[in-house]
Structures are given as C-alpha cells and as structure tokens.
Amino acid sequence: MKFKLAHTNLNVLNMERSVAFYQEALGMRVVRTKESSDNSFVLKFLSDADGLYQIELTELRDRTDPYDLGDNETHICFETDDYDGAHKLHSDMGCICFENKAMGLYFIEDPDGYWIEIVRRKNPMEKEPSVKSDQENPVDKPAPETPKADDADVTVSIDREICIGCGLCAEICPAVFAMGDDQIAVALVPVVPADQLESARDAAASCPVNAILLSE
C-alpha cells in the first residue's frame, strides 16, 4: 500500500484576490478549476513550476466572515533558488510577517491570514563535511588537533525523544550535526570544535523544540 501527497486545501474568502496573490508572490499557476452545479462553491488547484504538488483554494460562495485560524501554527513551506530576490519581492508586496535571519527563513501572509514559510533551496551539488571521508583519507588532511582543556568544556548532545527532525541544525552547523537514517538529528562529535562553537550555538538557538544540549 502506497500513499502520495497530492494537495493542501486552504479556504479563502475571495478567490480572485487569493489567486492573484499566489501568482505574484510564488509564481503559481491555476491548473484545474471545479465549480459546483448549484454555484455554492468553487475550487481552484494551483501548482508550482515542477507540477509535483498542488494547493487547493476553496471559496464557499455564501461565506462572508473571515476564517478563524486559531493560533495559526500550521503552514506551507516553499523553497526558492533566489532567496534575496524573493525577499525583495515580498518586502515590496508588504506581505512579510515574520523573519528569523539566524535560521535563514521568513514567513509571508496571504490575504486570508495563512502563513507561508520561505527558505533557501539547498544546492544538491554542495556536499556536507563527512567524518568518514576524513578517516578514510588521513594523508589528505592533517589529523585534528586534540581539544585543549578550555575547548573541551563545551560538549553537545541531542534529546532524540523530542527532536522533530526539522534538519535546521544540520543546515546551520553541518560539521557538528547531521540527520540520521531515521531522520532524527545526531551529533557527529561529543565535543564542539572551537571553530564551530558559534555555529553550534546558532543551531541550538534555532531548534524549535530545544532538543540540542550544549554544556557550557
């Protein structure tokens, strides 16, 4: 039995306004429209350039009150190959509602109040440091220095019971953190190298569930 993610639905008050927003802000296009026989609702399916996933916008024609999104803790995330250009576009549109520069992400808000995360697309050709490759080629690189007493004070561990596998730590500090086969973060070293301490602190501060423990 196999399942495939197909689409995410968002109920909107004004279909024309929402479609215009997603076209301008995210370059999406309408790929399918469905209207009820009694004209009570209309559905529009929007897709990105790759066409692998869709957002379904639903407008209930008799709906006049804004939707109550509660704490608005759920969101959709988009990657972009031009983060700076996207940030300028969304800044000019006035739709950026939250930004975390340390994590390299920000959120935009659509006309109905839904939040959409924008992150930088990772280059698949960029290889993260591999501890195994260093061990297999000891001649290529000098052996790592033994941490001094002062440097050895900062140890790192991860509470795997609460880690949600978001991968931010591995993106921010790949020399110290990586994602395991179970998509839960792991610490590559027990002691944070001195030259990675600042990045490790940023990674710990960016963890949304505080699963990274640095003993300082």
Side-chain angles (χ1 to χ4, degrees), residues 3-75:
F3 296 90
K4 180 181 179 181
L5 199 62
H7 68 259
T8 296
N9 175 78
L10 302 176
N11 277 38
V12 301
L13 278 181
N14 186 308
M15 182 65 75
E16 183 177 348
R17 178 184 64 178
S18 294
V19 168
F21 173 84
Y22 282 92
Q23 287 176 333
E24 180 181 2
L26 298 166
M28 304 193 76
R29 69 188 192 282
V30 177
V31 295
R32 183 159 58 98
T33 299
K34 180 179 180 180
E35 296 192 36
S36 64
S37 58
D38 60 0
N39 200 36
S40 61
F41 68 86
V42 59
L43 311 177
K44 286 188 181 293
F45 294 83
L46 286 71
S47 185
D48 58 12
D50 294 332
L52 301 178
Y53 185 74
Q54 297 177 355
I55 292 178
E56 175 190 7
L57 300 182
T58 298
E59 179 186 1
L60 304 179
R61 293 280 168 72
D62 61 351
R63 177 83 184 197
T64 58
D65 295 330
Y67 286 97
D68 182 0
L69 305 183
D71 293 333
N72 207 7
E73 291 294 343
T74 60
H75 66 268

Side-chain angles (χ1 to χ4, degrees), residues 83 100-106 117-120 168 171-172:
Y83 186 87
N100 188 324
K101 294 183 178 180
M103 295 172 65
L105 59 85
Y106 65 92
E117 184 180 6
I118 308 297
V119 299
R120 192 187 309 272
L168 284 172
E171 293 183 14
I172 295 173

Side-chain angles (χ1 to χ4, degrees), residues 153-165:
D153 289 341
V154 182
T155 61
V156 58
S157 61
I158 295 176
D159 187 339
R160 293 173 58 84
E161 293 297 322
I162 64 174
C163 175
I164 60 175

